[in-house]
Amino acid sequence: AKLHIARNFHDDGGQKELCTQYHMTGLRDLGWAVRALRAAGDESVLSDPSIRAEFRESFRWPLKVAFGSGFTPALNSGVVDKEWITFAAVGARLFDDPVLRWAVRSFAGPTYIPMQKGLNAWELDESFPEAFEAGREARPPDFKSILLEGSGFAVMRDGWDPDSLC
């Protein structure tokens, strides 16, 4: 898992093929592997500071490129979608990340069903409902616009509201 994270993601978190669909597939597979290792008592991936930081950024990357509505753009063979929110919940749990919890709470809404191509329900564990627990901190990102040098994108937005320009 460590080698896959290091080889397949830019420092800013973007998956090297720069396709939102492939990005989600990487989060699905690596998220599952890290959670399986953790369940077996192996914290080797998340205890490595550089890998941990890069892996956390891979869960945050879809938020970095998302519109104020929560949809990500259709990059390469990806589609305009919100499937990344499923993984935002997994990332919120793995990293106790208040920004990812904010994203889940802000973009999921009452009718959102967490799903992604190839995702099994058992892979979600308690991550999605846990992101909504009132006692857990949630806060918006400290950026609106952002330069993602590794991925080669500049994202300009005027806010995080659904009608914000992006």
Side-chain angles (χ1 to χ4, degrees):
K2 283 183 177 184
L3 187 59
H4 187 65
I5 292 166
R7 283 187 179 170
N8 290 294
F9 290 94
H10 294 288
D11 289 342
D12 60 22
Q15 198 265 354
K16 294 212 173 163
E17 294 183 60
L18 298 174
C19 166
T20 48
Q21 196 75 20
Y22 293 159
H23 193 95
M24 299 316 131
T25 300
L27 293 181
R28 180 196 68 207
D29 295 347
L30 288 166
W32 180 87
V34 169
R35 287 180 292 157
L37 287 168
R38 179 179 260 183
D42 183 343
E43 293 283 338
S44 61
V45 175
L46 296 182
S47 65
D48 180 324
S50 63
I51 295 295
R52 179 183 175 87
E54 189 170 344
F55 196 36
R56 188 193 73 173
E57 290 309 304
S58 71
F59 281 92
R60 283 183 166 196
W61 189 83
L63 174 62
K64 294 174 186 177
V65 299
F67 301 112
S69 61
F71 286 91
T72 53
L75 301 176
N76 293 319
S77 64
V79 296
V80 174
D81 206 339
K82 283 187 176 182
E83 66 183 358
W84 69 275
I85 297 167
T86 301
F87 301 105
V90 171
R93 187 172 206 202
L94 281 175
F95 303 102
D96 191 24
D97 190 321
V99 172
L100 289 172
R101 271 193 292 277
W102 173 86
V104 173
R105 293 176 189 179
S106 297
F107 302 130
T111 59
Y112 181 80
I113 298 171
M115 56 190 301
Q116 195 264 338
K117 185 169 82 175
L119 183 74
N120 295 305
W122 59 269
E123 291 180 284
L124 289 174
D125 57 45
E126 296 299 315
S127 300
F128 201 77
E130 185 179 276
F132 287 96
E133 289 178 6
R136 296 187 180 273
E137 179 190 5
R139 69 172 182 271
D142 58 2
F143 64 87
K144 290 180 186 162
S145 298
I146 189 168
L147 177 60
L148 302 169
E149 285 189 58
S151 298
F153 292 108
V155 180
M156 296 178 285
R157 64 171 64 80
D158 65 358
W160 287 104
D161 298 320
D163 293 330
S164 296
L165 297 175
C166 181

